[in-house]
Amino acid sequence: MGLTKQYLAYKPVSSFNIIASGRANISFVTINHVVGRYVVVAAAEKVLVWDMRIGEKVVEFVRDKQEVTFLRTTPDNKLLAVGYSDGLVELFSFESKQSVCSFASHRSAVSALNFDLLGLKLVSGGLDNDLVVSDVVSQTGKCRLTGHTAPITQACFMQRFQDVVVSSSKDTQIKFWNIETQCCFKTIVDHRTEVWDIVLMRNDDFLVCATADTQLSVYKISPITDEPSSSAAVVQSPEEESTVSPFRCTAAGSIQRAGHGRTINLVADVNGQVLGCHGTDRKIELFYFCSEDESVKKLAKRLKKLNTNKTKTIENGQDGHDEREANVRQLALTDEVKRLTTIATPEKVKSFDLLLGSRNELRICCTFLKNFVQLFSLDMDAKNAEPETLYALQKQGHPSEARTVTFSSDNLAIASGSAESLKLWSRASQGVLRTVDTDGYVVSTCFVPGDRHVLVGLKSGELLVVDVVPGEIIERIEAHEKELWSIILTPDKHGCVSGGGDTTVKFWSFELIGHSDGSDQKVLSLLHKNTLKLEETVLCVRISQNGKYIAVALLDNTVKIFFLDSLKFYLSLYGHKLPVIAMDISYDSTLIITGSGDRTIKIWGMDFGDCHRSLLAHDNTVTAIQFIPNTHMFFSCAKDGKLKQWDADSFQKIITLPGHLGEAHALAISPNGKYIVSCGSDRTLRLFHRTEEPLVLQDVQEEEREELENATLATGEESTVPGLPGLRLPSKKTIGSEKGAESILECLEVSKEYEDEGGKGPLPPLMFAYSATNTDEFLLTVLSRIRASDLEESLLLLPFSAVCVLLEKVPKLTVARQDYTELICKVVLFLFRVHQKPIVSNQVLLPVIQKIVPTLQAAVSELRDMVGTNLHAGQMLQRELEENDGCVLFRDATKQRIQRDRRRKRREASKRKLMQIVK
């Protein structure tokens, strides 16, 4: 057997530059009992918690390579629900900073999340047109609600009416669902365009809907016992509603927005008093829903202006409760809704959140398309109050996508360029060191020897010389008439070469000239030495390390190689079907690699210009390619978002690194070869480092094959059971559920073989691995290790023969292990519900069922009695100890609670003063 060539693995370090993604929403969070200071946002596949006061990341939650699409915190701010583009909902704990549980709810991206009033149930809506209600305590799905014919845009629980969910969709309908019956009992079909958002205001008194026009539709919700309003149009007849609906929903009117375009988001504060909305323009409109007393006062003023006879009655309130009810019925929408100050924003808003403080200070945090977050404050008590910007996070990242990256010669700094600026980053901390406004689109960058200056090529053709220390542009050179696509240093480090869209390659030398202010200080400048005129647009320029050749990639799909000293033509590399976007020459000047828009990478010899190998490398245009210094290995990235490492000697792919969620624009390798940085359309800069872990090519290929096999379900996407064609579980089939079913079947098979042998021989290896001493304990251990959200799908995959064997073991399990009563009940009830007809028709199972029912009933009753006894016994012991000892039991915990309450009261008294920023 021959020796296997080994490589060193590259691992991701972190991703930076992104402040907030535009796809997901933003939300206020409470950390360490501090309100109004922290916000949680999505950053590609990560979730970040920012401290707005100091502008730093506090918490970071990470899952696999899936984009975050929605965020929602529980009412007690202890858990964070995160929806992903693959339909999975993950719950993270702020205390432990770890994942608590996950729900495989949807088959496409999650578009809506909301908790109920206590945070015990979670409703999620997806682009697969379904709603899923999940139980947070038991960590399982409760029900799946199907009825919408287009993607869900919003879903929320009602507070006053228990187990009622309201949902909106792009199918123009708003539906009310009952969770217990799992059916829709009311549908609003008034709209002719998509319903983009809904929100419940003032403790479910109003339902506000946002559609594609500039008006907000408002519906009044009242219990069915009330008399119907004479002035409002009833959506359904009262006779029909009284039998199916606990409330009446009537159209109360509409609110005209001042903005243009469709309404994108509706957001209300926790108490439902303040409503905020924004459209496609640069403003956030705010509305205040008055309380009933405030509305009556406004009605009194309005009637007084109209000189009606009812003014005195309303003001004095002499006719008692009946007269007040009559006045409440006369309230119009203008009496109950008040327009607040509109907040003008610097850019188009992507999402925002509201928080109303104890002193009527309204805080609004916004995310924008240009990758920054801003926090506004508005004093609602002051008349004609103007919004004030408290904090802004914008210097931590590029406003637009980074297009080019490069490393400094000491491997410590990274320069990245975007449409409007150049940023210098610390490789160690991934923090911003300098930001330089370029007033132009950066397409190429290069560090000057000494790392004090950076050369920046713009799309306009200008060449900028940037001084790193002050972060200033010291010179602007009109280098090319069109785009300056490429800058490369000469091998002697005394100059550089630039290639542009004006079909020229220009040679420059570094010069030190006197400062413009007349001082003795010298500044760097470029002196034009020579020009190579070509027939096509120059896309990339590279120089061999021996200083002998210069390679130029042209728009005509070829690469021309010239002698560097005489600029005479040497070779032409042709074979690509589309233009060469990127190329590089090896350290020993023997190989040149080219990456093209035809998705291929070609490896050429520099001596004869022969093509050694053509690799179909990516699924889209290759955007960047670079050799690892002093090796024949190289990295490539493409518009498919992937980063791949190749061996130019063996022509094999070594590894695929976790790339970008969108396109990858550029990559750079540090001079020592230990670090790689890439930039992409997901606005992230991703840093990788070389580890000391050896990488065997065959092992990597095997792992990639296994990962590809695991990504496709062996049993198919659909969850089907014979005789139940309409089965709609609140979960979807995952790899975890398939593995769970396999482990159950394997457990039953091993247990049967062990019992057939009399159960006296040595333990089977699998049973020994689970630390089980008998078959009953083995089965319970296997069932308990299956994730709660995957248990039902795993049981659904079992054949009926395995179900019969499992049910036969239940009576013995219930008696032997009463600590697993809850799990056993869950398994038995699900199997009975799914396989009811075969179980009933199977006469062999009749005695088993007759044993299961009384055994489980007795176990559940005993468990309930034990819990109740322990609870009341604990309370009695606490009372006795407190009476006898004259002290409070759990004194430390009680003391901490008292101190916490005192701190909370002090904080509430001076909360808004402490949170003001000193400018």
Side-chain angles (χ1 to χ4, degrees):
M1 180 179 175
L3 292 175
T4 303
K5 188 173 181 180
Q6 291 185 340
Y7 306 91
L8 293 180
Y10 282 84
K11 298 291 184 183
V13 177
S14 69
S15 62
F16 51 102
N17 177 62
I18 186 167
I19 300 174
S21 297
R23 185 171 182 182
N25 60 317
I26 186 172
S27 178
F28 279 105
V29 292
T30 302
I31 296 180
N32 298 329
H33 308 287
V34 178
V35 183
R37 176 174 170 177
Y38 301 96
V39 295
V40 58
V41 296
E45 75 279 4
K46 293 182 179 180
V47 178
L48 307 178
V49 178
W50 289 96
D51 186 338
M52 293 297 293
R53 177 181 290 181
I54 60 177
E56 292 183 358
K57 285 185 288 190
V58 180
V59 186
E60 185 176 294
F61 302 109
V62 185
R63 188 186 155 246
D64 296 334
K65 291 288 297 180
Q66 296 294 336
E67 187 178 8
V68 177
T69 57
F70 209 88
L71 302 168
R72 187 69 71 192
T73 57
T74 52
D76 57 5
N77 280 282
K78 290 184 178 180
L79 298 177
L80 173 68
V82 183
Y84 292 91
S85 57
D86 60 348
L88 192 133
V89 179
E90 194 98 15
L91 261 65
F92 294 95
S93 170
F94 283 108
E95 184 179 356
S96 64
K97 300 178 177 57
Q98 299 293 327
S99 173
V100 177
C101 65
S102 61
F103 303 102
S105 303
H106 300 276
R107 290 166 177 81
S108 55
V110 177
S111 58
L113 285 172
N114 258 310
F115 286 93
D116 66 346
L117 189 59
L118 299 176
L120 303 180
K121 289 192 286 288
L122 172 69
V123 60
S124 60
L127 301 184
D128 56 357
N129 310 348
D130 290 348
L131 294 164
V132 175
V133 180
S134 306
D135 192 330
V136 177
V137 179
S138 63
Q139 301 181 4
T140 57
K142 193 174 178 65
C143 62
R144 182 180 293 272
L145 308 174
T146 58
H148 283 291
T149 57
I152 306 297
T153 55
Q154 189 58 273
C156 54
F157 284 96
M158 298 190 75
Q159 297 181 7
R160 278 199 298 172
F161 304 96
Q162 194 176 6
D163 293 337
V164 176
V165 171
V166 191
S167 64
S168 63
S169 169
K170 290 184 181 179
D171 61 3
T172 74
Q173 296 179 355
I174 299 172
K175 290 181 178 289
F176 295 82
W177 308 81
N178 190 320
I179 299 176
E180 294 301 323
T181 60
Q182 300 183 20
C183 67
C184 171
F185 62 85
K186 183 191 290 291
T187 303
I188 298 177
V189 292
D190 293 354
H191 305 97
R192 295 292 176 263
T193 56
E194 296 93 343
V195 181
W196 289 100
D197 210 342
I198 56 172
V199 68
L200 292 164
M201 301 298 299
R202 214 177 74 181
N203 194 20
D204 297 348
D205 283 342
F206 295 96
L207 174 68
V208 185
C209 315
T211 56
D213 53 17
T214 59
Q215 291 184 341
L216 304 178
S217 303
V218 182
Y219 294 87
K220 188 165 181 64
I221 298 175
S222 55
I224 204 68
T225 54
D226 294 349
E227 292 296 326
S229 175
S230 58
S231 60
V234 181
V235 177
Q236 289 180 319
S237 62
E239 293 79 14
E240 182 184 352
E241 283 190 330
S242 61
T243 58
V244 295
S245 174
F247 54 83
R248 181 181 296 108
C249 186
T250 57
S254 61
I255 301 173
Q256 180 63 45
R257 289 177 43 239
H260 303 291
R262 71 172 180 89
T263 308
I264 296 178
N265 281 329
L266 289 178
V267 178
D269 69 314
V270 178
N271 298 322
Q273 292 178 300
V274 181
L275 171 68
C277 67
H278 75 89
T280 55
D281 49 2
R282 300 182 179 184
K283 61 177 68 174
I284 296 175
E285 298 176 62
L286 301 172
F287 303 93
Y288 179 73
F289 279 70
C290 306
S291 63
E292 200 169 277
D293 294 336
E294 293 172 338
S295 302
V296 170
K297 290 180 181 179
K298 286 186 68 176
L299 175 63
K301 292 179 181 178
R302 183 165 63 87
L303 294 180
K304 188 174 183 180
K305 289 180 181 179
L306 295 174
N307 295 323
T308 59
N309 295 326
K310 296 183 179 180
T311 305
K312 293 182 180 179
T313 306
I314 295 173
E315 289 180 347
N316 299 329
Q318 296 174 356
D319 292 345
H321 185 265
D322 295 337
E323 193 64 35
R324 177 179 174 81
E325 287 187 353
N327 296 332
V328 169
R329 291 197 193 100
Q330 292 182 12
L331 290 174
L333 194 60
T334 54
D335 300 323
E336 301 192 272
V337 180
K338 179 173 68 174
R339 186 183 293 271
L340 301 177
T341 305
T342 299
I343 298 176
T345 58
E347 294 292 337
K348 289 185 178 179
V349 181
K350 293 301 293 183
S351 68
F352 73 102
D353 195 18
L354 301 175
L355 184 65
L356 185 60
S358 57
R359 295 190 176 183
N360 272 352
E361 183 198 4
L362 184 66
R363 293 204 165 189
I364 306 102
C365 59
C366 312
T367 61
F368 300 89
L369 184 63
K370 289 199 171 180
N371 190 30
F372 69 98
V373 179
Q374 202 161 353
L375 181 62
F376 299 94
S377 175
L378 181 66
D379 188 1
M380 295 183 59
D381 290 336
K383 192 173 183 181
N384 299 325
E386 290 297 325
E388 177 188 4
T389 301
L390 293 182
Y391 314 106
L393 300 176
Q394 53 187 1
K395 293 187 177 181
Q396 287 85 348
H398 284 287
S400 57
E401 300 172 8
R403 286 287 174 173
T404 175
V405 288
T406 186
F407 265 101
S408 62
S409 61
D410 58 3
N411 314 295
L412 296 178
I414 301 169
S416 62
S418 66
E420 59 284 301
S421 63
L422 173 79
K423 284 186 180 290
L424 296 170
W425 306 82
S426 168
R427 191 259 307 156
S429 65
Q430 294 91 48
V432 179
L433 301 176
R434 297 285 187 276
T435 300
V436 182
D437 294 330
T438 57
D439 297 328
Y441 201 113
V442 180
V443 292
S444 56
T445 53
C446 178
F447 271 94
V448 176
D451 297 333
R452 173 158 181 167
H453 299 84
V454 180
L455 301 179
V456 179
L458 302 184
K459 209 169 186 179
S460 61
E462 286 185 307
L463 179 58
L464 309 183
V465 182
V466 177
D467 194 339
V468 170
V469 177
E472 295 176 352
I473 299 172
I474 58 177
E475 189 176 5
R476 286 179 177 268
I477 303 172
E478 297 290 340
H480 293 267
E481 296 176 1
K482 292 184 180 179
E483 301 89 347
L484 203 162
W485 289 120
S486 182
I487 305 175
I488 186 71
L489 294 177
T490 56
D492 58 6
K493 310 297 183 186
H494 292 163
C496 65
V497 180
S498 63
D502 57 355
T503 71
T504 61
V505 176
K506 294 189 177 182
F507 297 81
W508 312 82
S509 64
F510 298 133
E511 299 287 342
L512 289 174
I513 62 173
H515 202 279
S516 59
D517 58 4
S519 62
D520 296 336
Q521 185 181 3
K522 300 287 186 179
V523 295
L524 181 71
S525 181
L526 297 181
L527 179 63
H528 182 217
K529 303 292 286 185
N530 203 352
T531 300
L532 174 63
K533 183 69 177 175
L534 298 163
E535 297 178 355
E536 293 287 344
T537 296
V538 177
L539 297 178
C540 188
V541 178
R542 288 293 181 268
I543 300 176
S544 61
Q545 289 296 316
N546 58 10
K548 193 174 181 180
Y549 305 110
I550 177 172
V552 182
L554 302 177
L555 196 62
D556 60 359
N557 309 349
T558 64
V559 176
K560 305 284 194 223
I561 302 178
F562 300 88
F563 290 102
L564 185 59
D565 51 358
S566 63
L567 298 183
K568 288 185 178 180
F569 176 75
Y570 172 55
L571 287 174
S572 178
L573 310 179
Y574 55 90
H576 284 290
K577 297 178 181 178
L578 289 172
V580 173
I581 307 297
M583 63 180 178
D584 198 14
I585 300 175
S586 63
Y587 74 101
D588 54 3
S589 305
T590 58
L591 296 177
I592 179 172
I593 49 176
T594 56
S596 168
D598 59 6
R599 304 176 296 170
T600 62
I601 292 175
K602 292 184 183 292
I603 304 171
W604 315 77
M606 286 288 288
D607 44 5
F608 301 107
D610 57 326
C611 181
H612 291 183
R613 187 63 63 93
S614 181
L615 306 170
L616 183 59
H618 292 272
D619 298 330
N620 210 325
T621 301
V622 180
T623 55
I625 192 167
Q626 187 175 345
F627 273 108
I628 300 175
N630 302 320
T631 68
H632 279 183
M633 293 181 290
F634 62 91
F635 276 91
S636 66
C637 67
K639 288 186 178 180
D640 58 3
K642 296 177 182 176
L643 273 74
K644 296 184 179 181
Q645 184 183 2
W646 307 83
D647 192 332
D649 293 331
S650 62
F651 315 120
Q652 287 184 315
K653 187 189 73 172
I654 299 172
I655 194 172
T656 301
L657 296 178
H660 296 267
L661 296 179
E663 300 177 357
H665 294 320
L667 67 84
I669 301 176
S670 62
N672 61 5
K674 291 184 178 180
Y675 300 95
I676 304 167
V677 65
S678 66
C679 60
S681 61
D682 57 0
R683 297 175 184 267
T684 60
L685 296 178
R686 298 179 186 269
L687 182 66
F688 305 86
H689 76 105
R690 188 175 65 202
T691 63
E692 297 302 322
E693 176 188 345
L695 202 66
V696 181
L697 202 58
Q698 287 77 5
D699 294 347
V700 173
Q701 293 172 352
E702 185 64 28
E703 288 175 5
E704 290 182 355
R705 275 196 298 270
E706 288 180 3
E707 187 177 348
L708 191 61
E709 291 175 0
N710 291 339
T712 57
L713 296 173
T715 56
E717 294 275 338
E718 294 297 324
S719 301
T720 56
V721 172
L724 293 175
L727 182 67
R728 301 285 291 172
L729 289 178
S731 58
K732 70 173 183 179
K733 197 182 297 181
T734 61
I735 302 297
S737 58
E738 284 189 343
K739 290 182 177 178
E742 289 177 4
S743 60
I744 294 174
L745 290 174
E746 196 172 17
C747 169
L748 295 177
E749 183 179 353
V750 170
S751 300
K752 185 176 183 301
E753 292 177 358
Y754 183 64
E755 289 174 351
D756 290 344
E757 295 174 359
K760 296 181 180 179
L763 290 176
L766 189 63
M767 191 182 299
F768 183 78
Y770 277 90
S771 302
T773 56
N774 53 59
T775 56
D776 295 338
E777 188 177 350
F778 182 31
L779 178 59
L780 284 176
T781 306
V782 169
L783 288 174
S784 62
R785 289 195 179 188
I786 300 174
R787 196 169 60 178
S789 57
D790 290 334
L791 181 60
E792 290 187 352
E793 291 285 352
S794 299
L795 295 174
L796 200 61
L797 292 172
L798 297 179
F800 186 68
S801 57
V803 172
C804 296
V805 176
L806 192 59
L807 289 177
E808 288 173 358
K809 291 177 174 291
V810 167
K812 186 179 177 182
L813 287 176
T814 308
V815 175
R817 296 298 300 269
Q818 294 191 357
D819 52 335
Y820 282 93
T821 300
E822 185 179 356
L823 176 63
I824 296 171
C825 286
K826 189 184 296 184
V827 171
V828 169
L829 290 175
F830 180 77
L831 292 178
F832 274 18
R833 189 167 74 247
V834 172
H835 301 282
Q836 181 186 6
K837 292 182 180 179
I839 289 174
V840 170
S841 59
N842 193 336
Q843 295 296 323
V844 180
L845 287 177
L846 183 59
V848 177
I849 297 174
Q850 291 175 346
K851 290 181 182 178
I852 289 176
V853 174
T855 308
L856 272 182
Q857 285 179 345
V860 171
S861 177
E862 186 175 348
L863 181 64
R864 188 186 294 117
D865 292 343
M866 182 183 67
V867 171
T869 303
N870 291 339
L871 174 64
H872 290 87
Q875 291 176 349
M876 184 188 71
L877 288 174
Q878 179 180 353
R879 287 195 300 268
E880 289 182 356
L881 284 173
E882 290 175 356
E883 290 175 0
N884 295 335
D885 299 342
C887 64
V888 179
L889 193 63
F890 308 122
R891 186 177 51 146
D892 293 339
T894 309
K895 187 177 179 180
Q896 289 179 2
R897 180 176 58 81
I898 293 173
Q899 291 177 352
R900 192 166 59 246
D901 291 343
R902 287 176 181 171
R903 286 197 302 268
R904 180 177 56 81
K905 290 177 181 178
R906 286 199 303 266
R907 191 166 50 250
E908 287 178 354
S910 60
K911 177 166 51 177
R912 297 309 166 192
K913 284 184 180 179
L914 292 174
M915 297 186 69
Q916 295 296 331
I917 184 171
V918 179
K919 294 187 176 180

mmCIF file of all heavy atoms in Angstrom, residues 356-361 381 907-912:
data_model
loop_
_atom_site.group_PDB
_atom_site.id
_atom_site.type_symbol
_atom_site.label_atom_id
_atom_site.label_comp_id
_atom_site.label_asym_id
_atom_site.label_seq_id
_atom_site.Cartn_x
_atom_site.Cartn_y
_atom_site.Cartn_z
ATOM 1 N N LEU A 356 -41.910 50.960 25.070
ATOM 2 C CA LEU A 356 -42.480 52.100 25.795
ATOM 3 C C LEU A 356 -42.039 52.004 27.256
ATOM 4 O O LEU A 356 -42.348 51.036 27.949
ATOM 5 C CB LEU A 356 -44.011 52.098 25.698
ATOM 6 C CG LEU A 356 -44.722 53.305 26.304
ATOM 7 C CD1 LEU A 356 -44.275 54.593 25.635
ATOM 8 C CD2 LEU A 356 -46.239 53.144 26.183
ATOM 9 N N GLY A 357 -41.301 53.038 27.727
ATOM 10 C CA GLY A 357 -40.781 53.042 29.076
ATOM 11 C C GLY A 357 -41.795 53.488 30.098
ATOM 12 O O GLY A 357 -42.919 53.907 29.782
ATOM 13 N N SER A 358 -41.392 53.415 31.365
ATOM 14 C CA SER A 358 -42.305 53.755 32.461
ATOM 15 C C SER A 358 -42.608 55.247 32.498
ATOM 16 O O SER A 358 -43.631 55.654 33.028
ATOM 17 C CB SER A 358 -41.694 53.305 33.794
ATOM 18 O OG SER A 358 -40.423 53.906 33.980
ATOM 19 N N ARG A 359 -41.716 56.066 31.967
ATOM 20 C CA ARG A 359 -41.944 57.510 31.961
ATOM 21 C C ARG A 359 -42.372 58.007 30.585
ATOM 22 O O ARG A 359 -42.071 59.137 30.191
ATOM 23 C CB ARG A 359 -40.669 58.232 32.402
ATOM 24 C CG ARG A 359 -40.302 57.929 33.849
ATOM 25 C CD ARG A 359 -39.208 58.831 34.336
ATOM 26 N NE ARG A 359 -38.921 58.598 35.741
ATOM 27 C CZ ARG A 359 -38.041 59.306 36.443
ATOM 28 N NH1 ARG A 359 -37.380 60.293 35.851
ATOM 29 N NH2 ARG A 359 -37.824 59.034 37.707
ATOM 30 N N ASN A 360 -43.047 57.136 29.866
ATOM 31 C CA ASN A 360 -43.577 57.475 28.546
ATOM 32 C C ASN A 360 -42.480 57.870 27.570
ATOM 33 O O ASN A 360 -42.701 58.709 26.691
ATOM 34 C CB ASN A 360 -44.634 58.582 28.644
ATOM 35 C CG ASN A 360 -46.014 58.018 28.893
ATOM 36 O OD1 ASN A 360 -46.217 56.804 28.852
ATOM 37 N ND2 ASN A 360 -46.968 58.874 29.163
ATOM 38 N N GLU A 361 -41.318 57.283 27.726
ATOM 39 C CA GLU A 361 -40.282 57.458 26.707
ATOM 40 C C GLU A 361 -40.374 56.281 25.748
ATOM 41 O O GLU A 361 -40.322 55.118 26.148
ATOM 42 C CB GLU A 361 -38.888 57.499 27.337
ATOM 43 C CG GLU A 361 -37.815 57.749 26.292
ATOM 44 C CD GLU A 361 -36.428 57.363 26.774
ATOM 45 O OE1 GLU A 361 -36.321 56.828 27.894
ATOM 46 O OE2 GLU A 361 -35.465 57.586 26.027
ATOM 47 N N ASP A 381 -44.744 62.502 26.378
ATOM 48 C CA ASP A 381 -45.436 63.503 27.195
ATOM 49 C C ASP A 381 -45.264 64.907 26.643
ATOM 50 O O ASP A 381 -46.140 65.764 26.817
ATOM 51 C CB ASP A 381 -44.909 63.453 28.637
ATOM 52 C CG ASP A 381 -45.336 62.180 29.350
ATOM 53 O OD1 ASP A 381 -46.367 61.604 28.915
ATOM 54 O OD2 ASP A 381 -44.665 61.766 30.302
ATOM 55 N N ARG A 907 -34.322 51.121 39.826
ATOM 56 C CA ARG A 907 -34.065 51.269 38.406
ATOM 57 C C ARG A 907 -35.271 51.832 37.678
ATOM 58 O O ARG A 907 -35.151 52.661 36.781
ATOM 59 C CB ARG A 907 -33.674 49.910 37.813
ATOM 60 C CG ARG A 907 -33.143 49.989 36.402
ATOM 61 C CD ARG A 907 -32.467 48.688 35.987
ATOM 62 N NE ARG A 907 -33.293 47.532 36.255
ATOM 63 C CZ ARG A 907 -33.044 46.626 37.194
ATOM 64 N NH1 ARG A 907 -31.999 46.765 37.969
ATOM 65 N NH2 ARG A 907 -33.836 45.578 37.376
ATOM 66 N N GLU A 908 -36.459 51.381 38.048
ATOM 67 C CA GLU A 908 -37.664 51.920 37.418
ATOM 68 C C GLU A 908 -37.846 53.399 37.727
ATOM 69 O O GLU A 908 -38.360 54.161 36.917
ATOM 70 C CB GLU A 908 -38.888 51.127 37.880
ATOM 71 C CG GLU A 908 -38.971 49.731 37.271
ATOM 72 C CD GLU A 908 -40.167 48.976 37.810
ATOM 73 O OE1 GLU A 908 -40.838 49.513 38.722
ATOM 74 O OE2 GLU A 908 -40.428 47.860 37.323
ATOM 75 N N ALA A 909 -37.406 53.808 38.925
ATOM 76 C CA ALA A 909 -37.562 55.218 39.292
ATOM 77 C C ALA A 909 -36.626 56.124 38.496
ATOM 78 O O ALA A 909 -36.969 57.269 38.196
ATOM 79 C CB ALA A 909 -37.315 55.394 40.791
ATOM 80 N N SER A 910 -35.440 55.603 38.168
ATOM 81 C CA SER A 910 -34.470 56.470 37.482
ATOM 82 C C SER A 910 -33.973 55.849 36.188
ATOM 83 O O SER A 910 -32.895 56.181 35.716
ATOM 84 C CB SER A 910 -33.280 56.726 38.408
ATOM 85 O OG SER A 910 -32.657 55.496 38.732
ATOM 86 N N LYS A 911 -34.762 54.967 35.634
ATOM 87 C CA LYS A 911 -34.312 54.196 34.486
ATOM 88 C C LYS A 911 -34.001 55.091 33.291
ATOM 89 O O LYS A 911 -32.943 55.040 32.689
ATOM 90 C CB LYS A 911 -35.379 53.169 34.105
ATOM 91 C CG LYS A 911 -35.029 52.371 32.881
ATOM 92 C CD LYS A 911 -35.939 51.169 32.744
ATOM 93 C CE LYS A 911 -37.391 51.553 32.854
ATOM 94 N NZ LYS A 911 -38.265 50.399 32.658
ATOM 95 N N ARG A 912 -34.900 55.965 32.960
ATOM 96 C CA ARG A 912 -34.715 56.757 31.746
ATOM 97 C C ARG A 912 -33.631 57.808 31.901
ATOM 98 O O ARG A 912 -33.000 58.207 30.947
ATOM 99 C CB ARG A 912 -36.031 57.406 31.338
ATOM 100 C CG ARG A 912 -37.104 56.384 30.987
ATOM 101 C CD ARG A 912 -36.595 55.374 29.999
ATOM 102 N NE ARG A 912 -37.435 54.207 29.876
ATOM 103 C CZ ARG A 912 -37.082 53.100 29.259
ATOM 104 N NH1 ARG A 912 -35.907 53.006 28.737
ATOM 105 N NH2 ARG A 912 -37.899 52.074 29.179
#
